[in-house]
Short mmCIF file of all heavy atoms in Angstrom, two decimals:
data_model
loop_
_atom_site.label_atom_id
_atom_site.label_comp_id
_atom_site.label_asym_id
_atom_site.label_seq_id
_atom_site.Cartn_x
_atom_site.Cartn_y
_atom_site.Cartn_z
N ASP U 73 -2.60 44.03 12.91
CA ASP U 73 -3.86 43.95 12.31
C ASP U 73 -4.04 45.03 11.25
O ASP U 73 -3.14 45.90 11.11
CB ASP U 73 -4.97 44.07 13.37
CG ASP U 73 -5.00 45.34 14.19
OD1 ASP U 73 -4.21 46.33 13.72
OD2 ASP U 73 -5.51 45.48 15.25
N PRO U 74 -5.17 45.13 10.51
CA PRO U 74 -5.33 46.10 9.49
C PRO U 74 -5.20 47.57 9.94
O PRO U 74 -4.88 48.47 9.21
CB PRO U 74 -6.75 45.90 8.88
CG PRO U 74 -6.97 44.39 9.18
CD PRO U 74 -6.27 44.13 10.48
N GLU U 75 -5.41 47.83 11.28
CA GLU U 75 -5.29 49.14 11.86
C GLU U 75 -3.85 49.45 12.29
O GLU U 75 -3.58 50.54 12.85
CB GLU U 75 -6.28 49.34 13.00
CG GLU U 75 -7.71 49.14 12.57
CD GLU U 75 -8.68 49.28 13.73
OE1 GLU U 75 -8.18 49.41 14.90
OE2 GLU U 75 -9.88 49.30 13.51
N GLY U 76 -2.98 48.52 12.11
CA GLY U 76 -1.62 48.78 12.46
C GLY U 76 -1.24 48.42 13.95
O GLY U 76 -0.16 48.60 14.41
N LYS U 77 -2.24 47.86 14.67
CA LYS U 77 -2.07 47.50 16.05
C LYS U 77 -1.47 46.09 16.21
O LYS U 77 -1.57 45.30 15.26
CB LYS U 77 -3.37 47.59 16.83
CG LYS U 77 -3.93 48.99 16.85
CD LYS U 77 -5.25 49.02 17.63
CE LYS U 77 -5.92 50.41 17.61
NZ LYS U 77 -7.24 50.45 18.37
N SER U 78 -0.82 45.78 17.27
CA SER U 78 -0.24 44.51 17.51
C SER U 78 -0.97 43.90 18.74
O SER U 78 -0.56 43.98 19.91
CB SER U 78 1.23 44.56 17.79
OG SER U 78 1.80 43.33 18.01
N PRO U 79 -2.10 43.25 18.42
CA PRO U 79 -2.93 42.66 19.63
C PRO U 79 -2.14 41.54 20.32
O PRO U 79 -1.42 40.83 19.64
CB PRO U 79 -4.22 42.21 18.96
CG PRO U 79 -3.81 41.89 17.53
CD PRO U 79 -2.78 42.91 17.21
N LYS U 80 -2.46 41.41 21.63
CA LYS U 80 -1.84 40.38 22.35
C LYS U 80 -2.32 39.06 21.93
O LYS U 80 -1.60 38.04 21.93
CB LYS U 80 -2.09 40.56 23.83
CG LYS U 80 -1.41 39.60 24.75
CD LYS U 80 -1.64 39.87 26.23
CE LYS U 80 -1.04 38.86 27.18
NZ LYS U 80 -1.33 39.07 28.57
N ILE U 81 -3.60 38.89 21.60
CA ILE U 81 -4.24 37.62 21.26
C ILE U 81 -4.86 37.74 19.88
O ILE U 81 -5.63 38.74 19.64
CB ILE U 81 -5.27 37.15 22.24
CG1 ILE U 81 -4.68 36.96 23.63
CG2 ILE U 81 -5.95 35.88 21.82
CD1 ILE U 81 -5.65 36.56 24.64
N GLN U 82 -4.61 36.89 18.95
CA GLN U 82 -5.26 36.81 17.61
C GLN U 82 -5.94 35.49 17.46
O GLN U 82 -5.42 34.46 17.99
CB GLN U 82 -4.30 37.04 16.54
CG GLN U 82 -3.56 38.38 16.56
CD GLN U 82 -2.62 38.55 15.41
OE1 GLN U 82 -3.03 38.35 14.21
NE2 GLN U 82 -1.34 38.92 15.64
N ARG U 83 -7.08 35.48 16.85
CA ARG U 83 -7.90 34.30 16.63
C ARG U 83 -8.14 34.08 15.15
O ARG U 83 -8.35 34.99 14.40
CB ARG U 83 -9.22 34.36 17.39
CG ARG U 83 -9.04 34.42 18.89
CD ARG U 83 -10.49 34.44 19.59
NE ARG U 83 -10.33 34.49 21.03
CZ ARG U 83 -10.22 35.60 21.71
NH1 ARG U 83 -10.21 36.79 21.03
NH2 ARG U 83 -10.16 35.52 23.03
N ALA U 84 -8.20 32.83 14.80
CA ALA U 84 -8.62 32.40 13.51
C ALA U 84 -9.52 31.12 13.64
O ALA U 84 -9.22 30.19 14.36
CB ALA U 84 -7.40 32.05 12.51
N ILE U 85 -10.64 31.17 12.92
CA ILE U 85 -11.60 30.07 13.02
C ILE U 85 -11.51 29.29 11.71
O ILE U 85 -11.51 29.78 10.60
CB ILE U 85 -13.00 30.62 13.18
CG1 ILE U 85 -13.21 31.16 14.56
CG2 ILE U 85 -14.08 29.51 13.04
CD1 ILE U 85 -12.76 32.62 14.73
N PHE U 86 -11.35 27.92 11.89
CA PHE U 86 -11.11 27.02 10.77
C PHE U 86 -12.21 25.97 10.67
O PHE U 86 -12.82 25.59 11.68
CB PHE U 86 -9.79 26.33 10.99
CG PHE U 86 -8.58 27.12 10.70
CD1 PHE U 86 -8.12 27.94 11.69
CD2 PHE U 86 -7.91 27.02 9.52
CE1 PHE U 86 -6.96 28.79 11.50
CE2 PHE U 86 -6.77 27.79 9.29
CZ PHE U 86 -6.26 28.72 10.27
N SER U 87 -12.43 25.53 9.46
CA SER U 87 -13.18 24.35 9.22
C SER U 87 -12.26 23.13 9.01
O SER U 87 -11.19 23.29 8.43
CB SER U 87 -14.13 24.49 7.97
OG SER U 87 -14.65 23.19 7.63
N ILE U 88 -12.56 21.96 9.49
CA ILE U 88 -11.74 20.81 9.36
C ILE U 88 -11.62 20.45 7.83
O ILE U 88 -10.57 19.86 7.40
CB ILE U 88 -12.29 19.58 10.11
CG1 ILE U 88 -11.30 18.45 10.18
CG2 ILE U 88 -13.59 19.14 9.47
CD1 ILE U 88 -10.02 18.77 10.85
N LEU U 89 -12.54 20.85 7.03
CA LEU U 89 -12.43 20.64 5.60
C LEU U 89 -11.25 21.33 4.99
O LEU U 89 -10.57 20.85 4.01
CB LEU U 89 -13.71 21.08 4.87
CG LEU U 89 -15.02 20.33 5.28
CD1 LEU U 89 -16.18 20.91 4.45
CD2 LEU U 89 -14.82 18.85 4.99
N HIS U 90 -10.88 22.53 5.50
CA HIS U 90 -9.69 23.24 5.04
C HIS U 90 -8.42 22.41 5.39
O HIS U 90 -7.53 22.35 4.52
CB HIS U 90 -9.61 24.58 5.66
CG HIS U 90 -8.39 25.41 5.29
ND1 HIS U 90 -8.26 25.86 3.98
CD2 HIS U 90 -7.33 25.79 5.98
CE1 HIS U 90 -7.14 26.49 3.93
NE2 HIS U 90 -6.57 26.47 5.12
N ILE U 91 -8.38 21.83 6.54
CA ILE U 91 -7.27 21.00 6.88
C ILE U 91 -7.18 19.79 6.02
O ILE U 91 -6.06 19.38 5.54
CB ILE U 91 -7.29 20.61 8.43
CG1 ILE U 91 -7.49 21.80 9.30
CG2 ILE U 91 -6.06 19.82 8.83
CD1 ILE U 91 -6.34 22.79 9.18
N ILE U 92 -8.26 19.16 5.78
CA ILE U 92 -8.27 18.00 4.89
C ILE U 92 -7.81 18.44 3.46
O ILE U 92 -7.06 17.66 2.83
CB ILE U 92 -9.71 17.41 4.88
CG1 ILE U 92 -10.05 16.82 6.18
CG2 ILE U 92 -9.77 16.28 3.76
CD1 ILE U 92 -11.47 16.31 6.35
N GLU U 93 -8.18 19.53 3.03
CA GLU U 93 -7.79 20.05 1.72
C GLU U 93 -6.26 20.20 1.64
O GLU U 93 -5.66 19.87 0.68
CB GLU U 93 -8.51 21.37 1.41
CG GLU U 93 -8.20 21.97 0.06
CD GLU U 93 -8.91 23.24 -0.19
OE1 GLU U 93 -8.80 24.13 0.69
OE2 GLU U 93 -9.60 23.36 -1.19
N LEU U 94 -5.70 20.73 2.68
CA LEU U 94 -4.23 20.96 2.77
C LEU U 94 -3.50 19.61 2.76
O LEU U 94 -2.42 19.52 2.16
CB LEU U 94 -3.86 21.78 4.00
CG LEU U 94 -4.35 23.22 4.00
CD1 LEU U 94 -3.93 23.92 5.32
CD2 LEU U 94 -3.79 23.99 2.85
N ILE U 95 -4.04 18.66 3.56
CA ILE U 95 -3.44 17.28 3.54
C ILE U 95 -3.47 16.64 2.18
O ILE U 95 -2.52 16.05 1.70
CB ILE U 95 -4.07 16.46 4.67
CG1 ILE U 95 -3.84 17.05 6.02
CG2 ILE U 95 -3.58 14.99 4.55
CD1 ILE U 95 -4.51 16.31 7.11
N HIS U 96 -4.57 16.79 1.53
CA HIS U 96 -4.71 16.19 0.16
C HIS U 96 -3.81 16.82 -0.89
O HIS U 96 -3.62 16.27 -1.97
CB HIS U 96 -6.24 16.31 -0.25
CG HIS U 96 -7.04 15.22 0.35
ND1 HIS U 96 -8.41 15.34 0.34
CD2 HIS U 96 -6.72 14.03 0.94
CE1 HIS U 96 -8.88 14.23 0.98
NE2 HIS U 96 -7.85 13.42 1.33
N GLU U 97 -3.28 17.98 -0.54
CA GLU U 97 -2.28 18.56 -1.44
C GLU U 97 -1.06 17.72 -1.55
O GLU U 97 -0.43 17.64 -2.68
CB GLU U 97 -1.94 19.98 -0.99
CG GLU U 97 -3.03 21.03 -1.18
CD GLU U 97 -2.58 22.38 -0.63
OE1 GLU U 97 -1.47 22.46 -0.06
OE2 GLU U 97 -3.33 23.34 -0.72
N ASP U 98 -0.69 17.09 -0.46
CA ASP U 98 0.46 16.21 -0.42
C ASP U 98 0.13 14.74 -0.60
O ASP U 98 0.94 14.01 -1.20
CB ASP U 98 1.24 16.37 0.92
CG ASP U 98 1.75 17.77 1.12
OD1 ASP U 98 2.04 18.49 0.08
OD2 ASP U 98 1.93 18.17 2.30
N TYR U 99 -1.03 14.42 -0.15
CA TYR U 99 -1.46 12.95 -0.21
C TYR U 99 -2.85 12.95 -0.74
O TYR U 99 -3.86 12.75 0.05
CB TYR U 99 -1.35 12.27 1.14
CG TYR U 99 0.01 12.29 1.73
CD1 TYR U 99 0.41 13.25 2.64
CD2 TYR U 99 0.98 11.36 1.32
CE1 TYR U 99 1.73 13.29 3.12
CE2 TYR U 99 2.29 11.37 1.85
CZ TYR U 99 2.63 12.36 2.75
OH TYR U 99 3.97 12.39 3.20
N PRO U 100 -3.08 13.07 -2.03
CA PRO U 100 -4.46 13.20 -2.59
C PRO U 100 -5.29 12.02 -2.44
O PRO U 100 -6.50 12.09 -2.43
CB PRO U 100 -4.12 13.47 -4.06
CG PRO U 100 -2.76 12.93 -4.31
CD PRO U 100 -2.02 13.18 -3.09
N ASN U 101 -4.74 10.82 -2.26
CA ASN U 101 -5.55 9.61 -2.16
C ASN U 101 -5.68 9.13 -0.75
O ASN U 101 -6.26 8.05 -0.50
CB ASN U 101 -4.99 8.48 -3.08
CG ASN U 101 -5.03 8.80 -4.53
OD1 ASN U 101 -5.95 9.48 -4.96
ND2 ASN U 101 -3.99 8.43 -5.28
N ALA U 102 -5.12 9.79 0.23
CA ALA U 102 -5.15 9.40 1.60
C ALA U 102 -6.53 9.52 2.18
O ALA U 102 -7.27 10.48 1.84
CB ALA U 102 -4.19 10.18 2.38
N GLU U 103 -6.93 8.61 2.97
CA GLU U 103 -8.28 8.66 3.63
C GLU U 103 -8.08 9.30 5.04
O GLU U 103 -7.16 8.88 5.82
CB GLU U 103 -8.80 7.27 3.85
CG GLU U 103 -10.24 7.23 4.52
CD GLU U 103 -10.80 5.86 4.68
OE1 GLU U 103 -10.23 4.92 4.03
OE2 GLU U 103 -11.77 5.68 5.43
N ILE U 104 -8.86 10.34 5.36
CA ILE U 104 -8.66 11.04 6.55
C ILE U 104 -9.85 10.79 7.54
O ILE U 104 -11.02 10.99 7.12
CB ILE U 104 -8.54 12.56 6.29
CG1 ILE U 104 -7.31 12.78 5.39
CG2 ILE U 104 -8.38 13.33 7.63
CD1 ILE U 104 -7.12 14.23 4.99
N ASP U 105 -9.56 10.29 8.67
CA ASP U 105 -10.58 10.00 9.71
C ASP U 105 -10.50 11.08 10.71
O ASP U 105 -9.61 11.05 11.57
CB ASP U 105 -10.40 8.59 10.25
CG ASP U 105 -11.55 8.18 11.16
OD1 ASP U 105 -12.35 9.03 11.49
OD2 ASP U 105 -11.65 7.02 11.43
N ASN U 106 -11.46 12.01 10.77
CA ASN U 106 -11.46 13.04 11.74
C ASN U 106 -12.08 12.61 13.05
O ASN U 106 -13.30 12.28 13.09
CB ASN U 106 -12.27 14.28 11.18
CG ASN U 106 -12.28 15.44 12.23
OD1 ASN U 106 -11.32 15.69 12.94
ND2 ASN U 106 -13.38 16.16 12.28
N GLN U 107 -11.39 12.56 14.11
CA GLN U 107 -11.78 12.25 15.48
C GLN U 107 -12.01 13.41 16.36
O GLN U 107 -12.38 13.28 17.48
CB GLN U 107 -10.74 11.29 16.12
CG GLN U 107 -10.50 10.02 15.37
CD GLN U 107 -11.70 9.07 15.42
OE1 GLN U 107 -12.39 8.99 16.41
NE2 GLN U 107 -11.94 8.36 14.24
N GLY U 108 -11.85 14.65 15.79
CA GLY U 108 -12.03 15.87 16.55
C GLY U 108 -13.17 16.72 16.17
O GLY U 108 -14.17 16.25 15.69
N GLU U 109 -13.01 18.05 16.27
CA GLU U 109 -14.04 19.00 16.00
C GLU U 109 -14.15 19.24 14.57
O GLU U 109 -13.18 19.20 13.80
CB GLU U 109 -13.76 20.32 16.78
CG GLU U 109 -13.68 20.17 18.27
CD GLU U 109 -15.05 19.91 18.89
OE1 GLU U 109 -16.04 20.33 18.26
OE2 GLU U 109 -15.10 19.34 19.98
N ALA U 110 -15.38 19.57 14.10
CA ALA U 110 -15.58 19.99 12.73
C ALA U 110 -15.16 21.37 12.49
O ALA U 110 -14.73 21.79 11.37
CB ALA U 110 -17.07 19.74 12.33
N ASP U 111 -15.32 22.24 13.51
CA ASP U 111 -14.90 23.61 13.45
C ASP U 111 -14.07 23.93 14.72
O ASP U 111 -14.49 23.40 15.80
CB ASP U 111 -16.06 24.58 13.31
CG ASP U 111 -16.91 24.33 12.13
OD1 ASP U 111 -16.51 24.69 11.00
OD2 ASP U 111 -17.95 23.66 12.27
N PHE U 112 -13.01 24.67 14.53
CA PHE U 112 -12.20 24.94 15.74
C PHE U 112 -11.54 26.32 15.60
O PHE U 112 -11.55 26.96 14.58
CB PHE U 112 -11.07 23.82 15.85
CG PHE U 112 -10.17 23.73 14.65
CD1 PHE U 112 -8.99 24.43 14.62
CD2 PHE U 112 -10.57 22.93 13.56
CE1 PHE U 112 -8.19 24.35 13.58
CE2 PHE U 112 -9.70 22.81 12.47
CZ PHE U 112 -8.51 23.56 12.50
N ILE U 113 -10.97 26.80 16.75
CA ILE U 113 -10.37 28.11 16.90
C ILE U 113 -8.90 27.87 17.17
O ILE U 113 -8.49 27.07 18.03
CB ILE U 113 -11.00 28.92 18.01
CG1 ILE U 113 -12.51 29.06 17.79
CG2 ILE U 113 -10.30 30.29 18.10
CD1 ILE U 113 -13.24 29.69 18.97
N ILE U 114 -8.09 28.66 16.53
CA ILE U 114 -6.60 28.79 16.83
C ILE U 114 -6.42 30.14 17.42
O ILE U 114 -6.67 31.15 16.80
CB ILE U 114 -5.75 28.58 15.60
CG1 ILE U 114 -5.98 27.19 14.96
CG2 ILE U 114 -4.24 28.67 15.97
CD1 ILE U 114 -5.13 26.89 13.75
N GLU U 115 -5.81 30.21 18.59
CA GLU U 115 -5.55 31.41 19.27
C GLU U 115 -4.00 31.62 19.35
O GLU U 115 -3.30 30.73 19.84
CB GLU U 115 -6.11 31.51 20.70
CG GLU U 115 -7.59 31.57 20.76
CD GLU U 115 -8.15 31.81 22.16
OE1 GLU U 115 -7.23 32.00 23.06
OE2 GLU U 115 -9.33 31.84 22.31
N TYR U 116 -3.56 32.72 18.89
CA TYR U 116 -2.11 33.01 18.88
C TYR U 116 -1.91 34.01 19.98
O TYR U 116 -2.39 35.16 20.04
CB TYR U 116 -1.63 33.60 17.56
CG TYR U 116 -0.27 34.21 17.60
CD1 TYR U 116 0.82 33.53 18.10
CD2 TYR U 116 -0.11 35.56 17.17
CE1 TYR U 116 2.08 34.16 18.16
CE2 TYR U 116 1.12 36.22 17.23
CZ TYR U 116 2.25 35.48 17.73
OH TYR U 116 3.45 36.10 17.77
#
Side-chain angles (χ1 to χ4, degrees):
D73 59 17
E75 299 179 355
K77 299 180 180 179
S78 182
K80 183 179 179 181
I81 299 178
Q82 298 183 52
R83 295 181 179 88
I85 290 82
F86 286 80
S87 167
I88 191 63
L89 295 179
H90 178 69
I91 305 300
I92 294 175
E93 183 181 51
L94 294 177
I95 294 175
H96 279 162
E97 290 178 356
D98 297 334
Y99 301 97
N101 297 324
E103 181 181 349
I104 301 175
D105 188 346
N106 179 37
Q107 299 291 324
E109 299 289 334
D111 302 283
F112 59 93
I113 303 171
I114 300 179
E115 291 189 4
Y116 165 56

